[in-house]
PDB file of all heavy atoms in Angstrom:
ATOM      1  N   LEU C 142       8.963  10.855  -6.259  1.00  0.00           N
ATOM      2  CA  LEU C 142       7.767  11.209  -7.009  1.00  0.00           C
ATOM      3  C   LEU C 142       7.487  10.138  -8.095  1.00  0.00           C
ATOM      4  O   LEU C 142       6.305   9.625  -8.072  1.00  0.00           O
ATOM      5  CB  LEU C 142       7.858  12.545  -7.620  1.00  0.00           C
ATOM      6  CG  LEU C 142       7.642  13.818  -6.772  1.00  0.00           C
ATOM      7  CD1 LEU C 142       7.799  15.018  -7.494  1.00  0.00           C
ATOM      8  CD2 LEU C 142       6.185  13.785  -6.161  1.00  0.00           C
ATOM      9  N   VAL C 143       8.483   9.815  -8.843  1.00  0.00           N
ATOM     10  CA  VAL C 143       8.196   8.825  -9.896  1.00  0.00           C
ATOM     11  C   VAL C 143       7.902   7.442  -9.333  1.00  0.00           C
ATOM     12  O   VAL C 143       6.844   6.821  -9.780  1.00  0.00           O
ATOM     13  CB  VAL C 143       9.408   8.667 -10.790  1.00  0.00           C
ATOM     14  CG1 VAL C 143       9.215   7.490 -11.812  1.00  0.00           C
ATOM     15  CG2 VAL C 143       9.594   9.908 -11.628  1.00  0.00           C
ATOM     16  N   GLY C 144       8.622   7.034  -8.345  1.00  0.00           N
ATOM     17  CA  GLY C 144       8.297   5.749  -7.707  1.00  0.00           C
ATOM     18  C   GLY C 144       6.942   5.626  -7.005  1.00  0.00           C
ATOM     19  O   GLY C 144       6.208   4.648  -7.250  1.00  0.00           O
ATOM     20  N   ASP C 145       6.614   6.687  -6.297  1.00  0.00           N
ATOM     21  CA  ASP C 145       5.330   6.794  -5.681  1.00  0.00           C
ATOM     22  C   ASP C 145       4.172   6.840  -6.621  1.00  0.00           C
ATOM     23  O   ASP C 145       3.096   6.190  -6.367  1.00  0.00           O
ATOM     24  CB  ASP C 145       5.182   7.911  -4.711  1.00  0.00           C
ATOM     25  CG  ASP C 145       5.932   7.520  -3.384  1.00  0.00           C
ATOM     26  OD1 ASP C 145       6.438   6.529  -3.256  1.00  0.00           O
ATOM     27  OD2 ASP C 145       6.179   8.486  -2.571  1.00  0.00           O
ATOM     28  N   SER C 146       4.344   7.560  -7.693  1.00  0.00           N
ATOM     29  CA  SER C 146       3.330   7.680  -8.689  1.00  0.00           C
ATOM     30  C   SER C 146       2.947   6.419  -9.358  1.00  0.00           C
ATOM     31  O   SER C 146       1.850   6.052  -9.581  1.00  0.00           O
ATOM     32  CB  SER C 146       3.771   8.767  -9.706  1.00  0.00           C
ATOM     33  OG  SER C 146       3.815  10.114  -9.182  1.00  0.00           O
ATOM     34  N   ILE C 147       4.065   5.594  -9.682  1.00  0.00           N
ATOM     35  CA  ILE C 147       3.810   4.245 -10.333  1.00  0.00           C
ATOM     36  C   ILE C 147       3.252   3.407  -9.335  1.00  0.00           C
ATOM     37  O   ILE C 147       2.130   2.691  -9.698  1.00  0.00           O
ATOM     38  CB  ILE C 147       5.170   3.749 -10.835  1.00  0.00           C
ATOM     39  CG1 ILE C 147       5.604   4.520 -11.900  1.00  0.00           C
ATOM     40  CG2 ILE C 147       4.913   2.260 -11.095  1.00  0.00           C
ATOM     41  CD1 ILE C 147       6.998   4.084 -12.501  1.00  0.00           C
ATOM     42  N   HIS C 148       3.529   3.445  -8.157  1.00  0.00           N
ATOM     43  CA  HIS C 148       3.010   2.605  -7.046  1.00  0.00           C
ATOM     44  C   HIS C 148       1.485   2.912  -6.951  1.00  0.00           C
ATOM     45  O   HIS C 148       0.648   2.162  -6.742  1.00  0.00           O
ATOM     46  CB  HIS C 148       3.750   2.819  -5.662  1.00  0.00           C
ATOM     47  CG  HIS C 148       3.256   2.053  -4.553  1.00  0.00           C
ATOM     48  ND1 HIS C 148       4.051   1.610  -3.563  1.00  0.00           N
ATOM     49  CD2 HIS C 148       2.088   1.379  -4.368  1.00  0.00           C
ATOM     50  CE1 HIS C 148       3.408   0.899  -2.659  1.00  0.00           C
ATOM     51  NE2 HIS C 148       2.144   0.771  -3.048  1.00  0.00           N
ATOM     52  N   ASN C 149       1.162   4.259  -6.797  1.00  0.00           N
ATOM     53  CA  ASN C 149      -0.151   4.592  -6.565  1.00  0.00           C
ATOM     54  C   ASN C 149      -1.052   4.385  -7.821  1.00  0.00           C
ATOM     55  O   ASN C 149      -2.276   4.049  -7.663  1.00  0.00           O
ATOM     56  CB  ASN C 149      -0.192   6.177  -6.366  1.00  0.00           C
ATOM     57  CG  ASN C 149       0.356   6.622  -4.952  1.00  0.00           C
ATOM     58  OD1 ASN C 149       0.315   5.779  -4.061  1.00  0.00           O
ATOM     59  ND2 ASN C 149       0.899   7.764  -4.864  1.00  0.00           N
ATOM     60  N   PHE C 150      -0.449   4.489  -9.054  1.00  0.00           N
ATOM     61  CA  PHE C 150      -1.154   4.118 -10.282  1.00  0.00           C
ATOM     62  C   PHE C 150      -1.615   2.555 -10.272  1.00  0.00           C
ATOM     63  O   PHE C 150      -2.677   2.330 -10.463  1.00  0.00           O
ATOM     64  CB  PHE C 150      -0.364   4.450 -11.446  1.00  0.00           C
ATOM     65  CG  PHE C 150      -1.038   4.100 -12.764  1.00  0.00           C
ATOM     66  CD1 PHE C 150      -1.739   5.126 -13.429  1.00  0.00           C
ATOM     67  CD2 PHE C 150      -0.955   2.857 -13.366  1.00  0.00           C
ATOM     68  CE1 PHE C 150      -2.359   4.820 -14.656  1.00  0.00           C
ATOM     69  CE2 PHE C 150      -1.486   2.457 -14.568  1.00  0.00           C
ATOM     70  CZ  PHE C 150      -2.285   3.540 -15.236  1.00  0.00           C
ATOM     71  N   CYS C 151      -0.706   1.829  -9.781  1.00  0.00           N
ATOM     72  CA  CYS C 151      -0.925   0.404  -9.660  1.00  0.00           C
ATOM     73  C   CYS C 151      -2.133   0.167  -8.643  1.00  0.00           C
ATOM     74  O   CYS C 151      -2.994  -0.635  -8.824  1.00  0.00           O
ATOM     75  CB  CYS C 151       0.224  -0.426  -9.254  1.00  0.00           C
ATOM     76  SG  CYS C 151       1.492  -0.498 -10.552  1.00  0.00           S
ATOM     77  N   ASP C 152      -1.961   0.878  -7.518  1.00  0.00           N
ATOM     78  CA  ASP C 152      -3.003   0.717  -6.519  1.00  0.00           C
ATOM     79  C   ASP C 152      -4.474   1.079  -7.050  1.00  0.00           C
ATOM     80  O   ASP C 152      -5.397   0.495  -6.687  1.00  0.00           O
ATOM     81  CB  ASP C 152      -2.649   1.574  -5.265  1.00  0.00           C
ATOM     82  CG  ASP C 152      -1.679   1.106  -4.412  1.00  0.00           C
ATOM     83  OD1 ASP C 152      -1.322  -0.012  -4.612  1.00  0.00           O
ATOM     84  OD2 ASP C 152      -0.984   1.833  -3.570  1.00  0.00           O
ATOM     85  N   GLY C 153      -4.421   2.210  -7.795  1.00  0.00           N
ATOM     86  CA  GLY C 153      -5.676   2.598  -8.446  1.00  0.00           C
ATOM     87  C   GLY C 153      -6.305   1.545  -9.381  1.00  0.00           C
ATOM     88  O   GLY C 153      -7.518   1.187  -9.309  1.00  0.00           O
ATOM     89  N   ALA C 154      -5.469   0.918 -10.102  1.00  0.00           N
ATOM     90  CA  ALA C 154      -5.922  -0.104 -11.037  1.00  0.00           C
ATOM     91  C   ALA C 154      -6.359  -1.373 -10.286  1.00  0.00           C
ATOM     92  O   ALA C 154      -7.363  -2.005 -10.559  1.00  0.00           O
ATOM     93  CB  ALA C 154      -4.796  -0.562 -11.940  1.00  0.00           C
ATOM     94  N   ILE C 155      -5.718  -1.654  -9.068  1.00  0.00           N
ATOM     95  CA  ILE C 155      -6.151  -2.749  -8.238  1.00  0.00           C
ATOM     96  C   ILE C 155      -7.534  -2.519  -7.665  1.00  0.00           C
ATOM     97  O   ILE C 155      -8.395  -3.333  -7.654  1.00  0.00           O
ATOM     98  CB  ILE C 155      -5.105  -2.977  -7.096  1.00  0.00           C
ATOM     99  CG1 ILE C 155      -3.812  -3.554  -7.611  1.00  0.00           C
ATOM    100  CG2 ILE C 155      -5.617  -3.788  -5.959  1.00  0.00           C
ATOM    101  CD1 ILE C 155      -2.735  -3.605  -6.738  1.00  0.00           C
ATOM    102  N   ILE C 156      -7.783  -1.213  -7.195  1.00  0.00           N
ATOM    103  CA  ILE C 156      -9.081  -0.916  -6.614  1.00  0.00           C
ATOM    104  C   ILE C 156     -10.129  -1.081  -7.717  1.00  0.00           C
ATOM    105  O   ILE C 156     -11.277  -1.538  -7.481  1.00  0.00           O
ATOM    106  CB  ILE C 156      -8.996   0.505  -6.092  1.00  0.00           C
ATOM    107  CG1 ILE C 156      -8.240   0.592  -4.816  1.00  0.00           C
ATOM    108  CG2 ILE C 156     -10.441   1.083  -5.833  1.00  0.00           C
ATOM    109  CD1 ILE C 156      -8.032   1.929  -4.227  1.00  0.00           C
ATOM    110  N   ALA C 157      -9.873  -0.566  -8.874  1.00  0.00           N
ATOM    111  CA  ALA C 157     -10.842  -0.707 -10.062  1.00  0.00           C
ATOM    112  C   ALA C 157     -11.225  -2.116 -10.372  1.00  0.00           C
ATOM    113  O   ALA C 157     -12.382  -2.412 -10.518  1.00  0.00           O
ATOM    114  CB  ALA C 157     -10.239   0.004 -11.264  1.00  0.00           C
ATOM    115  N   ALA C 158     -10.148  -3.001 -10.326  1.00  0.00           N
ATOM    116  CA  ALA C 158     -10.383  -4.402 -10.663  1.00  0.00           C
ATOM    117  C   ALA C 158     -11.317  -4.977  -9.481  1.00  0.00           C
ATOM    118  O   ALA C 158     -12.245  -5.784  -9.737  1.00  0.00           O
ATOM    119  CB  ALA C 158      -9.105  -5.198 -10.711  1.00  0.00           C
ATOM    120  N   ALA C 159     -11.100  -4.710  -8.191  1.00  0.00           N
ATOM    121  CA  ALA C 159     -11.855  -5.199  -7.125  1.00  0.00           C
ATOM    122  C   ALA C 159     -13.236  -4.661  -7.153  1.00  0.00           C
ATOM    123  O   ALA C 159     -14.142  -5.531  -7.003  1.00  0.00           O
ATOM    124  CB  ALA C 159     -11.089  -4.823  -5.830  1.00  0.00           C
ATOM    125  N   PHE C 160     -13.488  -3.468  -7.539  1.00  0.00           N
ATOM    126  CA  PHE C 160     -14.794  -2.950  -7.645  1.00  0.00           C
ATOM    127  C   PHE C 160     -15.647  -3.536  -8.744  1.00  0.00           C
ATOM    128  O   PHE C 160     -16.889  -3.817  -8.726  1.00  0.00           O
ATOM    129  CB  PHE C 160     -14.919  -1.456  -7.728  1.00  0.00           C
ATOM    130  CG  PHE C 160     -14.883  -0.691  -6.453  1.00  0.00           C
ATOM    131  CD1 PHE C 160     -13.774  -0.040  -5.919  1.00  0.00           C
ATOM    132  CD2 PHE C 160     -16.109  -0.738  -5.731  1.00  0.00           C
ATOM    133  CE1 PHE C 160     -13.808   0.644  -4.837  1.00  0.00           C
ATOM    134  CE2 PHE C 160     -16.208   0.056  -4.491  1.00  0.00           C
ATOM    135  CZ  PHE C 160     -15.059   0.690  -4.064  1.00  0.00           C
ATOM    136  N   LEU C 161     -14.899  -3.847  -9.839  1.00  0.00           N
ATOM    137  CA  LEU C 161     -15.581  -4.417 -10.996  1.00  0.00           C
ATOM    138  C   LEU C 161     -15.893  -5.890 -10.803  1.00  0.00           C
ATOM    139  O   LEU C 161     -16.858  -6.507 -11.309  1.00  0.00           O
ATOM    140  CB  LEU C 161     -14.611  -4.349 -12.193  1.00  0.00           C
ATOM    141  CG  LEU C 161     -14.463  -2.986 -12.917  1.00  0.00           C
ATOM    142  CD1 LEU C 161     -13.334  -3.020 -13.891  1.00  0.00           C
ATOM    143  CD2 LEU C 161     -15.810  -2.563 -13.552  1.00  0.00           C
ATOM    144  N   ALA C 162     -15.185  -6.556  -9.910  1.00  0.00           N
ATOM    145  CA  ALA C 162     -15.443  -7.927  -9.434  1.00  0.00           C
ATOM    146  C   ALA C 162     -16.741  -8.000  -8.505  1.00  0.00           C
ATOM    147  O   ALA C 162     -17.631  -8.780  -8.673  1.00  0.00           O
ATOM    148  CB  ALA C 162     -14.268  -8.689  -8.837  1.00  0.00           C
TER     149      ALA C 162
END
Side-chain angles (χ1 to χ4, degrees):
L142 282 176
V143 172
D145 283 351
S146 295
I147 293 175
H148 186 151
N149 292 332
F150 182 89
C151 292
D152 285 346
I155 287 170
I156 289 175
F160 269 108
L161 288 169

